[in-house]
Amino acid sequence: MTSPFAIDPTDIRALGQATAEWIARHYAELSELPVVPDVTPAETFARFDEPVPEHGVGWRELLARFERDLAPLSFNLPSPRYFGLMNPTPLPIAVFAEALAAALNQNLGAWHHSPGATAIERQVIRWLCDLAGYPAASFGSLTSGGSLANTTALKIALATKLPETTRGGLFGLTARPLVYASAEAHFSIEKSCNILGLGGRDGLRLVPVDAHSRIDVARLRAMIAADRAAGHHPFCVVGVAGVTSNGVIDPLAELAEVAAEFGLWYHVDAAYAAGGLMSDTLKPRFRGVERADSITMDPHKWWQMPYPCGAVLTRDGEAGLRAFTAADVYIPDTGRSIEFRHHGLQGSRPFSALKLWLAMLMVGRAAYARLAEDQIALTERFVAELTKDGDWRTVTPVDTAIAAVRFTGARRQDAKERLPELDAVQDRIVDRVLKGRRHWISPTTTVGTRAIRVMVISHLTRWEHLEELIGEMRAAASANEA
Ligand SMILES: Cc1ncc(COP(=O)(O)O)c(C=O)c1O
């Protein structure tokens, strides 16, 4: 019997062809597959509950099992009818790039373990810095996603503004370090403050937002001034470019002014909306992002990358090194160049840059720009169509390709009296749509209002998909009223 470790080119070719065949079939069927699998948690766990396998089986049997047991239990996030949480339809070039990267198995923690791959990550980071309008001295690194990028950025902020904490920690500080972010910022900001020992509650000041979900800059100024007067140490302010609930962009230039005025580190969480930076038409919405000290971008959102592919950039390209460099006696000191392990949290690092590099070369900036513009236009059309009969309204503006809408049933005589129960109605409409399994939308709360969130994220989504969704949402609202 051949060893399971044997490498046989004929067998590899057959494995690759069979895998590619499944992927091609899956993409072809994607738009008609149910988005939401009909399965319970208990069923999913039971399907794979087995002891440690004593002896192996061949890949043909395993591919058949993948198709039989796993694919039907998968949520079809890449579907054009998934209007969800920033999970795109991965570009095939990026899907296969993952296999190529795995075959090379470069370790991007050290340049000499990944010479060409490090150069490619450096190049994609350069491109992202250029898109942000950053100077030549800027730099950054790829991360597993937006959460880790935010943690990395806040750590760099802390290391820059309170350098003594890198060796001495927070112990012994006489003033409490504080971070400021809008009340609508992503939960990873709280998580980062928690991880960094600042305190997810007491180290983070949540600043109220205006009626459009943008950070209230006057309140921010007042909060920082009051905290300073109370003897605390405000050191970082976070702006959001693409609020998770509604895609709204904070006034980034005004935040840059506040940061400069108080001498704070300025971080912009553009995890999702950075995709809009590809477009000259959309760029004015991001005015001020180029003044940020650090920026989070998530190519696994608007740039249609499979996971994982996040990025953190710093205007001062050396800033990451100050936060993360540590002694590494076992790594040979030969040919040191860009050493990505000293720019972030990870030691051994994957070659995620390959898929982004290939995709950017293949798609090009102009087509990415069109995708962002078209998806925003689709979202605007969706909102206009849904709200035209007066029974629905928008909760927040459409800055990017996310709509936050609310059913009001305003045409009914008793609409005003029914207002308090309308929050539950939004959730019931979402539940009803999800039960159909054909579309995925979600409930959220934004600007203090229960709303329904609809996001155009797949490059396969067309107007007909949204038209069908509108029909379902209207039907769900009517069924609820009946
Ligand atoms: C604004 C924002 N920041 C950060 C994140 C976290 O990104 P990830 O899920 O890649 O960690 C998200 C995710 O939706 C987000 O919307």
Side-chain angles (χ1 to χ4, degrees), residues 85-87 143-150 184-189 191 240-245 269-273 296 298 300-301 307 309-310 402 453:
L85 302 178
M86 306 179 169
N87 305 283
T143 65
S144 63
S147 298
L148 193 68
N150 282 336
E184 304 248 19
H186 187 260
F187 69 82
S188 56
I189 300 297
K191 209 169 167 182
V240 188
V243 168
T244 316
S245 282
D269 180 0
Y272 157 60
T296 285
D298 249 357
H300 66 206
K301 293 185 165 64
Y307 297 109
C309 199
I402 305 177
R453 182 185 177 286

PDB file of all heavy atoms in Angstrom, residues 85-87 143-150 184-189 191 240-245 269-273 296 298 300-301 307 309-310 402 453, ligand 1:
ATOM      1  N   LEU A  85     -23.249  40.236   6.117  1.00  0.00           N
ATOM      2  CA  LEU A  85     -22.246  40.862   6.970  1.00  0.00           C
ATOM      3  C   LEU A  85     -20.876  40.934   6.302  1.00  0.00           C
ATOM      4  O   LEU A  85     -19.894  40.414   6.813  1.00  0.00           O
ATOM      5  CB  LEU A  85     -22.156  40.079   8.285  1.00  0.00           C
ATOM      6  CG  LEU A  85     -23.473  39.983   9.067  1.00  0.00           C
ATOM      7  CD1 LEU A  85     -23.279  39.146  10.325  1.00  0.00           C
ATOM      8  CD2 LEU A  85     -23.993  41.359   9.430  1.00  0.00           C
ATOM      9  N   MET A  86     -20.823  41.562   5.162  1.00  0.00           N
ATOM     10  CA  MET A  86     -19.530  41.888   4.544  1.00  0.00           C
ATOM     11  C   MET A  86     -18.750  40.679   4.056  1.00  0.00           C
ATOM     12  O   MET A  86     -17.536  40.740   3.912  1.00  0.00           O
ATOM     13  CB  MET A  86     -18.667  42.704   5.507  1.00  0.00           C
ATOM     14  CG  MET A  86     -19.387  43.928   6.017  1.00  0.00           C
ATOM     15  SD  MET A  86     -18.409  44.878   7.163  1.00  0.00           S
ATOM     16  CE  MET A  86     -19.413  46.367   7.295  1.00  0.00           C
ATOM     17  N   ASN A  87     -19.437  39.534   3.851  1.00  0.00           N
ATOM     18  CA  ASN A  87     -18.754  38.351   3.315  1.00  0.00           C
ATOM     19  C   ASN A  87     -19.000  38.294   1.811  1.00  0.00           C
ATOM     20  O   ASN A  87     -20.139  38.108   1.384  1.00  0.00           O
ATOM     21  CB  ASN A  87     -19.318  37.085   3.971  1.00  0.00           C
ATOM     22  CG  ASN A  87     -19.226  37.150   5.480  1.00  0.00           C
ATOM     23  OD1 ASN A  87     -18.162  36.951   6.042  1.00  0.00           O
ATOM     24  ND2 ASN A  87     -20.338  37.458   6.129  1.00  0.00           N
ATOM     25  N   THR A 143      -3.082  41.119   7.998  1.00  0.00           N
ATOM     26  CA  THR A 143      -3.532  40.476   9.240  1.00  0.00           C
ATOM     27  C   THR A 143      -4.618  39.460   8.869  1.00  0.00           C
ATOM     28  O   THR A 143      -5.019  39.353   7.711  1.00  0.00           O
ATOM     29  CB  THR A 143      -4.152  41.511  10.200  1.00  0.00           C
ATOM     30  OG1 THR A 143      -5.341  42.032   9.594  1.00  0.00           O
ATOM     31  CG2 THR A 143      -3.193  42.654  10.495  1.00  0.00           C
ATOM     32  N   SER A 144      -5.128  38.777   9.901  1.00  0.00           N
ATOM     33  CA  SER A 144      -6.189  37.799   9.632  1.00  0.00           C
ATOM     34  C   SER A 144      -7.513  38.498   9.345  1.00  0.00           C
ATOM     35  O   SER A 144      -8.451  37.872   8.875  1.00  0.00           O
ATOM     36  CB  SER A 144      -6.356  36.882  10.843  1.00  0.00           C
ATOM     37  OG  SER A 144      -6.776  37.660  11.951  1.00  0.00           O
ATOM     38  N   GLY A 145      -7.614  39.783   9.654  1.00  0.00           N
ATOM     39  CA  GLY A 145      -8.870  40.497   9.396  1.00  0.00           C
ATOM     40  C   GLY A 145      -8.893  41.831  10.104  1.00  0.00           C
ATOM     41  O   GLY A 145      -7.872  42.281  10.666  1.00  0.00           O
ATOM     42  N   GLY A 146     -10.069  42.454  10.082  1.00  0.00           N
ATOM     43  CA  GLY A 146     -10.216  43.795  10.639  1.00  0.00           C
ATOM     44  C   GLY A 146     -10.024  43.831  12.149  1.00  0.00           C
ATOM     45  O   GLY A 146      -9.478  44.799  12.691  1.00  0.00           O
ATOM     46  N   SER A 147     -10.474  42.782  12.833  1.00  0.00           N
ATOM     47  CA  SER A 147     -10.343  42.785  14.294  1.00  0.00           C
ATOM     48  C   SER A 147      -8.879  42.834  14.699  1.00  0.00           C
ATOM     49  O   SER A 147      -8.466  43.666  15.517  1.00  0.00           O
ATOM     50  CB  SER A 147     -10.997  41.539  14.893  1.00  0.00           C
ATOM     51  OG  SER A 147     -12.371  41.526  14.617  1.00  0.00           O
ATOM     52  N   LEU A 148      -8.089  41.930  14.096  1.00  0.00           N
ATOM     53  CA  LEU A 148      -6.666  41.890  14.454  1.00  0.00           C
ATOM     54  C   LEU A 148      -5.962  43.172  13.990  1.00  0.00           C
ATOM     55  O   LEU A 148      -5.035  43.660  14.653  1.00  0.00           O
ATOM     56  CB  LEU A 148      -5.992  40.659  13.849  1.00  0.00           C
ATOM     57  CG  LEU A 148      -4.609  40.382  14.418  1.00  0.00           C
ATOM     58  CD1 LEU A 148      -4.668  39.944  15.865  1.00  0.00           C
ATOM     59  CD2 LEU A 148      -3.886  39.319  13.605  1.00  0.00           C
ATOM     60  N   ALA A 149      -6.420  43.739  12.871  1.00  0.00           N
ATOM     61  CA  ALA A 149      -5.820  44.996  12.391  1.00  0.00           C
ATOM     62  C   ALA A 149      -6.092  46.107  13.410  1.00  0.00           C
ATOM     63  O   ALA A 149      -5.204  46.912  13.727  1.00  0.00           O
ATOM     64  CB  ALA A 149      -6.394  45.359  11.027  1.00  0.00           C
ATOM     65  N   ASN A 150      -7.307  46.137  13.952  1.00  0.00           N
ATOM     66  CA  ASN A 150      -7.627  47.167  14.953  1.00  0.00           C
ATOM     67  C   ASN A 150      -6.804  46.973  16.230  1.00  0.00           C
ATOM     68  O   ASN A 150      -6.301  47.941  16.802  1.00  0.00           O
ATOM     69  CB  ASN A 150      -9.124  47.139  15.282  1.00  0.00           C
ATOM     70  CG  ASN A 150      -9.949  47.814  14.200  1.00  0.00           C
ATOM     71  OD1 ASN A 150      -9.429  48.661  13.454  1.00  0.00           O
ATOM     72  ND2 ASN A 150     -11.224  47.469  14.096  1.00  0.00           N
ATOM     73  N   GLU A 184     -21.062  53.643  17.657  1.00  0.00           N
ATOM     74  CA  GLU A 184     -21.399  52.690  16.588  1.00  0.00           C
ATOM     75  C   GLU A 184     -20.148  51.973  16.060  1.00  0.00           C
ATOM     76  O   GLU A 184     -20.219  51.284  15.052  1.00  0.00           O
ATOM     77  CB  GLU A 184     -22.120  53.415  15.440  1.00  0.00           C
ATOM     78  CG  GLU A 184     -23.371  54.171  15.888  1.00  0.00           C
ATOM     79  CD  GLU A 184     -24.668  53.571  15.366  1.00  0.00           C
ATOM     80  OE1 GLU A 184     -24.687  52.398  14.963  1.00  0.00           O
ATOM     81  OE2 GLU A 184     -25.676  54.309  15.369  1.00  0.00           O
ATOM     82  N   ALA A 185     -19.012  52.155  16.738  1.00  0.00           N
ATOM     83  CA  ALA A 185     -17.781  51.497  16.265  1.00  0.00           C
ATOM     84  C   ALA A 185     -17.919  49.978  16.414  1.00  0.00           C
ATOM     85  O   ALA A 185     -18.692  49.478  17.231  1.00  0.00           O
ATOM     86  CB  ALA A 185     -16.585  51.996  17.071  1.00  0.00           C
ATOM     87  N   HIS A 186     -17.120  49.252  15.644  1.00  0.00           N
ATOM     88  CA  HIS A 186     -17.176  47.785  15.661  1.00  0.00           C
ATOM     89  C   HIS A 186     -16.731  47.240  17.030  1.00  0.00           C
ATOM     90  O   HIS A 186     -15.871  47.829  17.687  1.00  0.00           O
ATOM     91  CB  HIS A 186     -16.261  47.231  14.565  1.00  0.00           C
ATOM     92  CG  HIS A 186     -16.371  45.753  14.379  1.00  0.00           C
ATOM     93  ND1 HIS A 186     -15.454  44.876  14.912  1.00  0.00           N
ATOM     94  CD2 HIS A 186     -17.303  45.003  13.754  1.00  0.00           C
ATOM     95  CE1 HIS A 186     -15.803  43.633  14.595  1.00  0.00           C
ATOM     96  NE2 HIS A 186     -16.928  43.683  13.895  1.00  0.00           N
ATOM     97  N   PHE A 187     -17.285  46.104  17.412  1.00  0.00           N
ATOM     98  CA  PHE A 187     -16.984  45.561  18.743  1.00  0.00           C
ATOM     99  C   PHE A 187     -15.504  45.227  18.930  1.00  0.00           C
ATOM    100  O   PHE A 187     -15.013  45.078  20.055  1.00  0.00           O
ATOM    101  CB  PHE A 187     -17.869  44.347  19.058  1.00  0.00           C
ATOM    102  CG  PHE A 187     -17.577  43.109  18.232  1.00  0.00           C
ATOM    103  CD1 PHE A 187     -16.536  42.261  18.591  1.00  0.00           C
ATOM    104  CD2 PHE A 187     -18.336  42.791  17.114  1.00  0.00           C
ATOM    105  CE1 PHE A 187     -16.258  41.113  17.841  1.00  0.00           C
ATOM    106  CE2 PHE A 187     -18.068  41.652  16.365  1.00  0.00           C
ATOM    107  CZ  PHE A 187     -17.029  40.818  16.728  1.00  0.00           C
ATOM    108  N   SER A 188     -14.768  45.106  17.826  1.00  0.00           N
ATOM    109  CA  SER A 188     -13.340  44.773  17.960  1.00  0.00           C
ATOM    110  C   SER A 188     -12.546  45.914  18.606  1.00  0.00           C
ATOM    111  O   SER A 188     -11.435  45.686  19.099  1.00  0.00           O
ATOM    112  CB  SER A 188     -12.733  44.421  16.601  1.00  0.00           C
ATOM    113  OG  SER A 188     -12.914  45.464  15.680  1.00  0.00           O
ATOM    114  N   ILE A 189     -13.105  47.119  18.630  1.00  0.00           N
ATOM    115  CA  ILE A 189     -12.405  48.216  19.315  1.00  0.00           C
ATOM    116  C   ILE A 189     -12.475  47.961  20.828  1.00  0.00           C
ATOM    117  O   ILE A 189     -11.468  48.046  21.535  1.00  0.00           O
ATOM    118  CB  ILE A 189     -13.029  49.589  18.945  1.00  0.00           C
ATOM    119  CG1 ILE A 189     -12.933  49.836  17.424  1.00  0.00           C
ATOM    120  CG2 ILE A 189     -12.354  50.722  19.727  1.00  0.00           C
ATOM    121  CD1 ILE A 189     -11.529  49.927  16.868  1.00  0.00           C
ATOM    122  N   LYS A 191     -12.950  45.063  22.189  1.00  0.00           N
ATOM    123  CA  LYS A 191     -12.156  43.854  22.418  1.00  0.00           C
ATOM    124  C   LYS A 191     -10.660  44.197  22.481  1.00  0.00           C
ATOM    125  O   LYS A 191      -9.923  43.683  23.317  1.00  0.00           O
ATOM    126  CB  LYS A 191     -12.428  42.909  21.244  1.00  0.00           C
ATOM    127  CG  LYS A 191     -12.310  41.455  21.522  1.00  0.00           C
ATOM    128  CD  LYS A 191     -12.894  40.726  20.321  1.00  0.00           C
ATOM    129  CE  LYS A 191     -12.573  39.286  20.301  1.00  0.00           C
ATOM    130  NZ  LYS A 191     -13.107  38.626  19.091  1.00  0.00           N
ATOM    131  N   VAL A 240     -14.561  55.820  12.073  1.00  0.00           N
ATOM    132  CA  VAL A 240     -15.046  54.636  11.365  1.00  0.00           C
ATOM    133  C   VAL A 240     -15.407  55.012   9.929  1.00  0.00           C
ATOM    134  O   VAL A 240     -16.158  55.964   9.700  1.00  0.00           O
ATOM    135  CB  VAL A 240     -16.290  54.026  12.056  1.00  0.00           C
ATOM    136  CG1 VAL A 240     -16.644  52.689  11.408  1.00  0.00           C
ATOM    137  CG2 VAL A 240     -16.062  53.848  13.543  1.00  0.00           C
ATOM    138  N   ALA A 241     -14.856  54.267   8.984  1.00  0.00           N
ATOM    139  CA  ALA A 241     -15.225  54.472   7.573  1.00  0.00           C
ATOM    140  C   ALA A 241     -15.997  53.230   7.146  1.00  0.00           C
ATOM    141  O   ALA A 241     -15.406  52.239   6.717  1.00  0.00           O
ATOM    142  CB  ALA A 241     -13.998  54.704   6.716  1.00  0.00           C
ATOM    143  N   GLY A 242     -17.296  53.316   7.352  1.00  0.00           N
ATOM    144  CA  GLY A 242     -18.160  52.188   7.070  1.00  0.00           C
ATOM    145  C   GLY A 242     -18.618  51.540   8.363  1.00  0.00           C
ATOM    146  O   GLY A 242     -18.128  50.464   8.743  1.00  0.00           O
ATOM    147  N   VAL A 243     -19.561  52.211   9.054  1.00  0.00           N
ATOM    148  CA  VAL A 243     -20.124  51.632  10.283  1.00  0.00           C
ATOM    149  C   VAL A 243     -20.749  50.279   9.933  1.00  0.00           C
ATOM    150  O   VAL A 243     -21.451  50.156   8.925  1.00  0.00           O
ATOM    151  CB  VAL A 243     -21.194  52.591  10.882  1.00  0.00           C
ATOM    152  CG1 VAL A 243     -22.003  51.912  11.985  1.00  0.00           C
ATOM    153  CG2 VAL A 243     -20.532  53.862  11.398  1.00  0.00           C
ATOM    154  N   THR A 244     -20.493  49.281  10.755  1.00  0.00           N
ATOM    155  CA  THR A 244     -20.925  47.916  10.432  1.00  0.00           C
ATOM    156  C   THR A 244     -22.440  47.832  10.221  1.00  0.00           C
ATOM    157  O   THR A 244     -22.903  47.129   9.331  1.00  0.00           O
ATOM    158  CB  THR A 244     -20.478  46.953  11.550  1.00  0.00           C
ATOM    159  OG1 THR A 244     -19.128  47.279  11.910  1.00  0.00           O
ATOM    160  CG2 THR A 244     -20.547  45.513  11.102  1.00  0.00           C
ATOM    161  N   SER A 245     -23.201  48.560  11.007  1.00  0.00           N
ATOM    162  CA  SER A 245     -24.657  48.476  10.909  1.00  0.00           C
ATOM    163  C   SER A 245     -25.232  49.181   9.689  1.00  0.00           C
ATOM    164  O   SER A 245     -26.334  48.863   9.260  1.00  0.00           O
ATOM    165  CB  SER A 245     -25.305  49.120  12.142  1.00  0.00           C
ATOM    166  OG  SER A 245     -25.229  48.238  13.221  1.00  0.00           O
ATOM    167  N   ASP A 269     -10.818  53.070  11.217  1.00  0.00           N
ATOM    168  CA  ASP A 269     -11.245  51.700  10.932  1.00  0.00           C
ATOM    169  C   ASP A 269     -12.056  51.727   9.632  1.00  0.00           C
ATOM    170  O   ASP A 269     -13.251  51.973   9.629  1.00  0.00           O
ATOM    171  CB  ASP A 269     -12.088  51.162  12.092  1.00  0.00           C
ATOM    172  CG  ASP A 269     -12.560  49.738  11.831  1.00  0.00           C
ATOM    173  OD1 ASP A 269     -12.236  49.188  10.757  1.00  0.00           O
ATOM    174  OD2 ASP A 269     -13.252  49.173  12.705  1.00  0.00           O
ATOM    175  N   ALA A 270     -11.317  51.469   8.533  1.00  0.00           N
ATOM    176  CA  ALA A 270     -11.964  51.454   7.211  1.00  0.00           C
ATOM    177  C   ALA A 270     -12.058  50.015   6.722  1.00  0.00           C
ATOM    178  O   ALA A 270     -11.929  49.738   5.524  1.00  0.00           O
ATOM    179  CB  ALA A 270     -11.172  52.310   6.230  1.00  0.00           C
ATOM    180  N   ALA A 271     -12.279  49.088   7.667  1.00  0.00           N
ATOM    181  CA  ALA A 271     -12.254  47.657   7.339  1.00  0.00           C
ATOM    182  C   ALA A 271     -13.079  47.376   6.090  1.00  0.00           C
ATOM    183  O   ALA A 271     -12.598  46.767   5.138  1.00  0.00           O
ATOM    184  CB  ALA A 271     -12.769  46.844   8.519  1.00  0.00           C
ATOM    185  N   TYR A 272     -14.303  47.856   6.101  1.00  0.00           N
ATOM    186  CA  TYR A 272     -15.164  47.604   4.945  1.00  0.00           C
ATOM    187  C   TYR A 272     -14.997  48.668   3.859  1.00  0.00           C
ATOM    188  O   TYR A 272     -14.660  48.382   2.709  1.00  0.00           O
ATOM    189  CB  TYR A 272     -16.632  47.527   5.392  1.00  0.00           C
ATOM    190  CG  TYR A 272     -17.622  47.821   4.288  1.00  0.00           C
ATOM    191  CD1 TYR A 272     -17.657  47.039   3.131  1.00  0.00           C
ATOM    192  CD2 TYR A 272     -18.513  48.889   4.385  1.00  0.00           C
ATOM    193  CE1 TYR A 272     -18.547  47.324   2.102  1.00  0.00           C
ATOM    194  CE2 TYR A 272     -19.407  49.168   3.369  1.00  0.00           C
ATOM    195  CZ  TYR A 272     -19.419  48.392   2.229  1.00  0.00           C
ATOM    196  OH  TYR A 272     -20.279  48.669   1.218  1.00  0.00           O
ATOM    197  N   ALA A 273     -15.199  49.939   4.228  1.00  0.00           N
ATOM    198  CA  ALA A 273     -15.377  50.965   3.189  1.00  0.00           C
ATOM    199  C   ALA A 273     -14.104  51.306   2.432  1.00  0.00           C
ATOM    200  O   ALA A 273     -14.174  51.983   1.399  1.00  0.00           O
ATOM    201  CB  ALA A 273     -15.984  52.223   3.799  1.00  0.00           C
ATOM    202  N   THR A 296      -7.184  50.637   9.242  1.00  0.00           N
ATOM    203  CA  THR A 296      -7.542  49.227   9.042  1.00  0.00           C
ATOM    204  C   THR A 296      -8.254  49.094   7.707  1.00  0.00           C
ATOM    205  O   THR A 296      -9.153  49.889   7.409  1.00  0.00           O
ATOM    206  CB  THR A 296      -8.480  48.754  10.168  1.00  0.00           C
ATOM    207  OG1 THR A 296      -7.708  48.580  11.364  1.00  0.00           O
ATOM    208  CG2 THR A 296      -9.169  47.436   9.834  1.00  0.00           C
ATOM    209  N   ASP A 298      -9.861  45.828   5.107  1.00  0.00           N
ATOM    210  CA  ASP A 298     -10.134  44.391   5.030  1.00  0.00           C
ATOM    211  C   ASP A 298     -10.415  43.974   3.591  1.00  0.00           C
ATOM    212  O   ASP A 298     -11.576  43.971   3.158  1.00  0.00           O
ATOM    213  CB  ASP A 298     -11.388  44.073   5.863  1.00  0.00           C
ATOM    214  CG  ASP A 298     -11.067  43.273   7.105  1.00  0.00           C
ATOM    215  OD1 ASP A 298      -9.885  42.918   7.293  1.00  0.00           O
ATOM    216  OD2 ASP A 298     -11.993  43.000   7.877  1.00  0.00           O
ATOM    217  N   HIS A 300     -10.801  41.217   2.529  1.00  0.00           N
ATOM    218  CA  HIS A 300     -11.781  40.112   2.478  1.00  0.00           C
ATOM    219  C   HIS A 300     -13.222  40.625   2.632  1.00  0.00           C
ATOM    220  O   HIS A 300     -14.129  39.837   2.849  1.00  0.00           O
ATOM    221  CB  HIS A 300     -11.437  38.969   3.442  1.00  0.00           C
ATOM    222  CG  HIS A 300     -11.490  39.270   4.907  1.00  0.00           C
ATOM    223  ND1 HIS A 300     -10.748  38.574   5.829  1.00  0.00           N
ATOM    224  CD2 HIS A 300     -12.192  40.158   5.632  1.00  0.00           C
ATOM    225  CE1 HIS A 300     -10.998  39.023   7.047  1.00  0.00           C
ATOM    226  NE2 HIS A 300     -11.880  39.996   6.950  1.00  0.00           N
ATOM    227  N   LYS A 301     -13.394  41.931   2.469  1.00  0.00           N
ATOM    228  CA  LYS A 301     -14.746  42.482   2.412  1.00  0.00           C
ATOM    229  C   LYS A 301     -15.007  42.988   0.982  1.00  0.00           C
ATOM    230  O   LYS A 301     -15.358  42.203   0.117  1.00  0.00           O
ATOM    231  CB  LYS A 301     -14.900  43.569   3.483  1.00  0.00           C
ATOM    232  CG  LYS A 301     -14.835  42.992   4.920  1.00  0.00           C
ATOM    233  CD  LYS A 301     -15.103  44.034   5.970  1.00  0.00           C
ATOM    234  CE  LYS A 301     -15.391  43.457   7.338  1.00  0.00           C
ATOM    235  NZ  LYS A 301     -14.327  42.715   8.001  1.00  0.00           N
ATOM    236  N   TYR A 307     -11.372  34.577   3.051  1.00  0.00           N
ATOM    237  CA  TYR A 307     -10.635  34.767   4.313  1.00  0.00           C
ATOM    238  C   TYR A 307      -9.347  33.975   4.267  1.00  0.00           C
ATOM    239  O   TYR A 307      -9.305  32.919   3.652  1.00  0.00           O
ATOM    240  CB  TYR A 307     -11.478  34.269   5.499  1.00  0.00           C
ATOM    241  CG  TYR A 307     -12.720  35.060   5.621  1.00  0.00           C
ATOM    242  CD1 TYR A 307     -13.956  34.504   5.298  1.00  0.00           C
ATOM    243  CD2 TYR A 307     -12.657  36.385   5.995  1.00  0.00           C
ATOM    244  CE1 TYR A 307     -15.100  35.267   5.366  1.00  0.00           C
ATOM    245  CE2 TYR A 307     -13.806  37.151   6.055  1.00  0.00           C
ATOM    246  CZ  TYR A 307     -15.024  36.588   5.738  1.00  0.00           C
ATOM    247  OH  TYR A 307     -16.142  37.344   5.789  1.00  0.00           O
ATOM    248  N   CYS A 309      -7.877  37.938   4.995  1.00  0.00           N
ATOM    249  CA  CYS A 309      -7.119  38.990   4.325  1.00  0.00           C
ATOM    250  C   CYS A 309      -7.494  40.374   4.872  1.00  0.00           C
ATOM    251  O   CYS A 309      -8.369  41.045   4.345  1.00  0.00           O
ATOM    252  CB  CYS A 309      -7.313  38.936   2.810  1.00  0.00           C
ATOM    253  SG  CYS A 309      -6.035  39.821   1.925  1.00  0.00           S
ATOM    254  N   GLY A 310      -6.855  40.752   5.955  1.00  0.00           N
ATOM    255  CA  GLY A 310      -7.013  42.093   6.504  1.00  0.00           C
ATOM    256  C   GLY A 310      -5.685  42.825   6.396  1.00  0.00           C
ATOM    257  O   GLY A 310      -4.669  42.235   6.013  1.00  0.00           O
ATOM    258  N   ILE A 402     -24.589  49.739   2.025  1.00  0.00           N
ATOM    259  CA  ILE A 402     -25.395  49.176   3.111  1.00  0.00           C
ATOM    260  C   ILE A 402     -26.602  50.085   3.340  1.00  0.00           C
ATOM    261  O   ILE A 402     -26.448  51.307   3.433  1.00  0.00           O
ATOM    262  CB  ILE A 402     -24.609  49.070   4.439  1.00  0.00           C
ATOM    263  CG1 ILE A 402     -23.312  48.280   4.233  1.00  0.00           C
ATOM    264  CG2 ILE A 402     -25.469  48.411   5.519  1.00  0.00           C
ATOM    265  CD1 ILE A 402     -22.434  48.185   5.479  1.00  0.00           C
ATOM    266  N   ARG A 453     -31.045  45.530   8.157  1.00  0.00           N
ATOM    267  CA  ARG A 453     -29.809  45.864   7.456  1.00  0.00           C
ATOM    268  C   ARG A 453     -29.718  45.040   6.171  1.00  0.00           C
ATOM    269  O   ARG A 453     -29.850  43.811   6.213  1.00  0.00           O
ATOM    270  CB  ARG A 453     -28.641  45.534   8.389  1.00  0.00           C
ATOM    271  CG  ARG A 453     -27.283  45.851   7.878  1.00  0.00           C
ATOM    272  CD  ARG A 453     -26.260  45.342   8.890  1.00  0.00           C
ATOM    273  NE  ARG A 453     -24.909  45.543   8.430  1.00  0.00           N
ATOM    274  CZ  ARG A 453     -24.337  44.823   7.474  1.00  0.00           C
ATOM    275  NH1 ARG A 453     -24.995  43.849   6.883  1.00  0.00           N
ATOM    276  NH2 ARG A 453     -23.088  45.068   7.121  1.00  0.00           N
TER     277      ARG A 453
HETATM  278  C1  LIG B   1     -15.952  48.490  10.796  1.00  0.00           C
HETATM  279  C2  LIG B   1     -15.445  47.106  11.055  1.00  0.00           C
HETATM  280  N1  LIG B   1     -14.269  46.949  11.673  1.00  0.00           N
HETATM  281  C3  LIG B   1     -13.753  45.738  11.940  1.00  0.00           C
HETATM  282  C4  LIG B   1     -14.430  44.601  11.577  1.00  0.00           C
HETATM  283  C5  LIG B   1     -13.861  43.263  11.939  1.00  0.00           C
HETATM  284  O1  LIG B   1     -13.396  42.583  10.825  1.00  0.00           O
HETATM  285  P1  LIG B   1     -13.097  41.017  10.889  1.00  0.00           P
HETATM  286  O2  LIG B   1     -14.419  40.358  11.002  1.00  0.00           O
HETATM  287  O3  LIG B   1     -12.380  40.776   9.619  1.00  0.00           O
HETATM  288  O4  LIG B   1     -12.231  40.768  12.074  1.00  0.00           O
HETATM  289  C6  LIG B   1     -15.658  44.701  10.927  1.00  0.00           C
HETATM  290  C7  LIG B   1     -16.417  43.498  10.543  1.00  0.00           C
HETATM  291  O5  LIG B   1     -17.516  43.533  10.096  1.00  0.00           O
HETATM  292  C8  LIG B   1     -16.185  45.982  10.661  1.00  0.00           C
HETATM  293  O6  LIG B   1     -17.370  46.160  10.063  1.00  0.00           O
END
